[in-house]
Amino acid sequence: MIHIVVPVYAQNLELLIGQSLDAKSAGATMVELRLDLCAQMGADCAALVAGISSLLLPVMATNRSKDEGGKWSGSDSDRLQLLLDADAAGAVFIDVELAHISALAARPTQAKLILSYHDFNGMGANLNTIVTHMYAAGADIAKIAVTATDAGDLSTIEMLYHDFSEHELVAIAMGEEGLPSRLLAGAWGAAFTFATVNDQSSAPGQPTVEDLVDMYNIQFQGPETRIFGVIGEPISHSLSPLIHNSGFQALKIDAVYVPFLVHDPKDFWQRCGNWIDGLSITIPHKHELADELNEIEDIALPIGAINTIYRNVDGTVGANTDACAALYCIQECTGTLEGLRCMILGAGGVSRGMAYALHQAGAIVCIANRTLERAQQLADEIGCQHVTLDDASNVRFDVLINGTSVGMNSDISPWPKECLTDQHVVFDTVYTPLETKLLQDAQHAGCTCICGLSMFLRQAYEQFERWTNTPAPEGAMRRLVLESLGVDPYAFVRSAKTTTACWNKG
Ligand code: NAP
């Protein structure tokens, strides 16, 4: 099973033991003793090495010089001798940079030898040749740590695991763009992966042990694990890994879902699409991959935006589950869409999807937007009405939908509260905060409310079902997302009248 390795470094053995305990409690299976960082803090490294057997977890000993990205300022011979001392003291791995292996006075007698190559500025060159040299030079484990500038660089890492599948290998792309190389380490067959506790990392982009274990199920990943993810820019805020991984785990599906920070989506899909089973696509990439796919679902075609890629027997399919989700949420409240008068505020991506889907379902759509020309253009495309934002409150409607970003992280409403009655359904697609000013006003007016989180959850369930051909475990997926947002799951009542903003009444 893959080792989860936590870097530890401190001034004395007592502090190191404390860090090892924290690492073990969090779920780590090994610590990396960074002797160079200990030395920089003024520690007596010989004393630390002598205490290796008291560190509660197996120890990987590392001692990097400055040209290897480390902090050791003493002589090279002292540096490498400490590693041999660590071998004698019970370390299970010692890590030596390939370029310095000839200076190592002897081979370790007990520890396995890791030979490393680092590039902190790029993806290195001729990595296959370097790894071949490492094994030829006696490496038990070859370790490559390079720096990704786009998630497409992950293809290089995946290829290395493929090409050296008969050997023990650790290949890491550092930086946020390379994060999936750490999160997929179990699926790709890595000997170990690094993680942090208490924010104490040894290289850029290390995830926490808790995330690796709980969210990414790293110890249960294997060659059969199906790989899913979300592409976007930015992506670190995304709740999608939490929601989909909780779904896979609830149903014991051997799959993992990771965040890909992608700058060039076409390049990413062309280089990495072959090992990815399905994708979520978020801002700003929803318009960029249609040409790369074999098929587009009917509803996604006129909308022109794709938020999901899945595979069927004929190849890759693009879908827009945002629009399906919005329709589902409205219909859950109104029973029917046929003849329903829907006032959509906004003419951006979300509004466009909803306008098309509602129109196609027989609703009577009116679009109001700050920039009137955009409202007009969309209305002309669809064949529906449009008005200015000022005139919108003079138009009769059954359902008011906020598809603008107004209300996001603010207490501003895009709609006058005096124009709401208990006959209205009000749907705010914004879900940060969960209870927007518009929804507060709507609740006071006695409206039926639909919150943006309901739509977010529904679009995720729709994705999950396309990827797995299995009904999504909605309860498990919803519970973790609500918990992560600090919302009491039991108060988030799901019923026709309360799909909605009622968690605060629970
Ligand atoms: P978008 O394409 O950038 O469109 C933004 C829309 O908001 C445009 O119509 C824009 O009007 C309008 N707008 C922005 N600032 C405004 C202001 N101060 N006053 C009036 N109108 C303003 O964004 P999008 O992708 O459609 O996303 C819109 C919102 O939907 C996001 O903020 C997000 O909260 C929400 N969303 C929710 C979900 C979900 O699952 N619940 C999913 C995706 C998005 P102009 O045309 O005049 O610029």
Side-chain angles (χ1 to χ4, degrees):
M1 192 185 280
I2 186 170
H3 273 296
I4 300 175
V5 184
V6 167
V8 291
Y9 44 93
Q11 287 100 328
N12 60 49
L13 189 60
E14 199 182 343
L15 290 171
L16 275 186
I17 292 171
Q19 290 177 11
S20 303
L21 182 61
D22 289 347
K24 190 174 180 180
S25 310
T29 58
M30 187 176 287
V31 289
E32 180 196 33
L33 175 55
R34 280 294 303 262
L35 289 162
D36 54 314
L37 300 181
C38 297
Q40 189 197 26
M41 297 168 102
D44 173 355
C45 286
L48 300 185
V49 164
I52 275 178
S53 60
S54 56
L55 285 187
L56 308 176
L57 284 172
V59 173
M60 170 189 299
T62 307
N63 198 4
R64 297 208 179 289
S65 60
K66 288 186 175 154
D67 63 319
E68 298 172 352
K71 299 290 180 192
W72 183 260
S73 54
S75 76
D76 244 19
S77 56
D78 286 353
R79 181 174 71 83
L80 294 170
Q81 185 55 48
L82 268 177
L83 292 177
L84 292 176
D85 294 345
D87 166 46
V92 294
F93 293 136
I94 65 166
D95 182 341
V96 179
E97 194 81 359
L98 175 65
H100 293 143
I101 182 60
S102 55
L104 195 67
R107 292 302 157 118
T109 54
Q110 300 174 65
K112 282 188 172 183
L113 178 63
I114 301 168
L115 289 183
S116 305
Y117 168 83
H118 289 77
D119 183 343
F120 290 96
N121 298 309
M123 289 297 289
N126 302 321
L127 294 183
N128 280 52
T129 309
I130 290 170
V131 173
T132 304
H133 279 158
M134 288 172 168
Y135 296 124
D140 295 302
I141 299 176
K143 184 182 131 196
I144 295 289
V146 287
T147 304
T149 53
D150 203 346
D153 290 334
L154 291 163
S155 64
T156 306
I157 301 294
E158 195 271 342
M159 280 301 289
L160 279 178
Y161 282 111
H162 181 264
D163 293 347
F164 294 96
S165 58
E166 303 299 313
H167 294 79
E168 288 207 83
L169 176 71
V170 174
I172 297 162
M174 293 182 282
E176 193 185 344
E177 290 87 346
L179 175 65
S181 66
R182 301 178 186 277
L183 307 179
L184 297 172
W188 285 349
F192 53 80
T193 189
F194 292 97
T196 64
V197 282
N198 309 330
D199 285 338
Q200 186 155 321
S201 70
S202 62
Q206 290 176 359
T208 64
V209 175
E210 193 184 8
D211 278 353
L212 277 183
V213 171
D214 294 343
M215 181 142 43
Y216 298 104
N217 218 12
I218 191 111
Q219 285 158 314
F220 296 96
Q221 293 176 11
E224 302 302 320
T225 302
R226 298 174 70 203
I227 296 172
F228 297 88
V230 54
I231 64 167
E233 182 184 9
I235 202 62
S236 59
H237 66 288
S238 175
L239 288 172
S240 295
L242 180 67
I243 190 169
H244 287 297
N245 285 318
S246 65
F248 294 141
Q249 288 172 27
L251 296 186
K252 299 196 171 13
I253 293 173
D254 186 7
V256 62
Y257 182 105
V258 298
F260 294 108
L261 175 58
V262 169
H263 309 300
D264 182 341
K266 272 197 167 58
D267 175 72
F268 172 76
W269 184 248
Q270 285 165 3
R271 292 168 70 190
C272 300
N274 62 318
W275 47 265
I276 293 176
D277 288 273
L279 272 188
S280 307
I281 305 172
T282 189
I283 292 169
H285 299 322
K286 290 186 184 182
H287 298 271
E288 298 183 57
L289 288 180
D291 294 346
E292 304 292 318
L293 307 176
N294 301 109
E295 191 188 329
I296 307 290
E297 282 188 2
D298 284 350
I299 187 70
L301 206 54
I303 295 171
I306 289 166
N307 80 329
T308 310
I309 295 176
Y310 64 100
R311 295 178 188 276
N312 66 15
V313 284
D314 297 322
T316 48
V317 188
N320 187 314
T321 65
D322 286 336
C324 307
L327 244 59
Y328 179 99
C329 291
I330 295 169
Q331 195 161 13
E332 200 185 24
C333 285
T334 61
T336 180
L337 298 170
E338 186 74 43
L340 201 68
R341 292 166 303 186
C342 297
M343 170 63 70
I344 299 180
L345 308 179
V350 162
S351 303
R352 183 183 175 81
M354 286 193 294
Y356 262 104
L358 284 166
H359 179 74
Q360 216 170 69
I364 301 159
V365 175
C366 182
I367 297 162
N369 191 45
R370 178 178 62 178
T371 310
L372 188 63
E373 304 80 67
R374 287 186 83 190
Q376 179 168 11
Q377 195 182 358
L378 180 56
D380 288 350
E381 264 182 54
I382 292 174
C384 69
Q385 220 191 327
H386 74 278
V387 287
T388 63
L389 275 180
D390 285 343
D391 289 339
S393 52
N394 299 322
V395 178
R396 290 183 64 195
F397 64 89
D398 303 305
V399 183
L400 175 72
I401 301 163
N402 178 30
T404 75
S405 45
V406 177
M408 193 161 77
N409 302 320
S410 81
D411 61 354
I412 301 170
S413 169
W415 191 257
K417 62 181 175 192
E418 52 282 3
C419 298
L420 294 171
T421 75
D422 61 4
Q423 297 304 300
H424 291 136
V425 173
V426 175
F427 176 7
D428 200 342
T429 66
V430 173
Y431 61 92
T432 46
L434 285 176
E435 195 184 25
T436 58
K437 179 70 168 66
L438 172 62
L439 289 181
Q440 285 174 15
D441 292 346
Q443 276 185 299
H444 282 133
C447 306
T448 299
C449 299
I450 306 172
C451 69
L453 190 65
S454 298
M455 172 179 162
F456 173 75
L457 289 167
R458 176 58 46 192
Q459 64 78 32
Y461 304 153
E462 298 255 353
Q463 294 184 322
F464 189 92
E465 289 173 13
R466 281 167 176 76
W467 294 329
T468 62
N469 293 315
T470 310
E474 296 181 14
M477 293 168 82
R478 185 173 57 243
R479 189 165 50 251
L480 275 187
V481 169
L482 293 179
E483 275 171 16
S484 79
L485 294 171
V487 178
D488 177 359
Y490 297 103
F492 189 84
V493 184
R494 282 184 80 246
S495 73
K497 283 269 170 190
T498 58
T499 303
T500 78
C502 297
W503 57 85
N504 61 337
K505 286 183 175 170

